[in-house]
Amino acid sequence: MATEIITKEDLNEFRELLLNDFKAILQGKPIAENTKWLKSYQVKNMLKISPGTLQNLRVNGTINYTKIGGILYYKYEDIQRLLEGNHKRK
């Protein structure tokens, strides 16, 4: 099992995101529209996929990402586009 160190900056970023989410809820806005960048765990939860599937989507170019300091970030709009592109009609 890999160990991940959480820094003060990570906690401050989490606090800011959490406060923004609460503000969005109170204003009646969907949380996801307020979030421009998503981390891997958020994308996996959104798409209900495994880490391996997410990796395959990155490798084959289905999902674009940005890597900063070992953390992968995904644009919310790209994930929405992926979902809409795979929408099937009856």
Side-chain angles (χ1 to χ4, degrees):
M1 185 170 128
T3 302
E4 188 173 323
I5 296 175
I6 298 174
T7 64
K8 286 183 180 180
E9 290 81 22
D10 291 333
L11 292 174
N12 281 330
E13 180 184 344
F14 175 72
R15 180 180 60 83
E16 287 294 322
L17 291 171
L18 190 59
L19 286 173
N20 288 338
D21 286 349
F22 283 137
K23 287 177 187 176
I25 290 170
L26 292 174
Q27 293 173 356
K29 296 178 185 175
I31 294 172
E33 288 182 12
N34 258 357
T35 307
K36 183 172 181 172
W37 293 97
L38 303 170
K39 291 186 177 180
S40 292
Y41 77 91
Q42 294 169 308
V43 174
K44 289 186 297 184
N45 289 340
M46 252 178 102
L47 300 177
K48 295 181 177 42
I49 58 174
S50 69
T53 301
L54 183 57
Q55 181 179 2
N56 286 337
L57 292 173
R58 283 193 311 267
V59 169
N60 68 25
T62 303
I63 294 181
N64 295 322
Y65 65 95
T66 299
K67 185 174 183 178
I68 301 173
I71 299 174
L72 299 173
Y73 295 95
Y74 308 84
K75 278 191 173 182
Y76 175 76
E77 295 84 18
D78 291 345
I79 305 305
Q80 282 299 109
R81 212 171 306 129
L82 176 68
L83 289 171
E84 290 169 6
N86 287 323
H87 180 74
K88 298 185 183 195
R89 297 180 185 196
K90 291 185 179 183

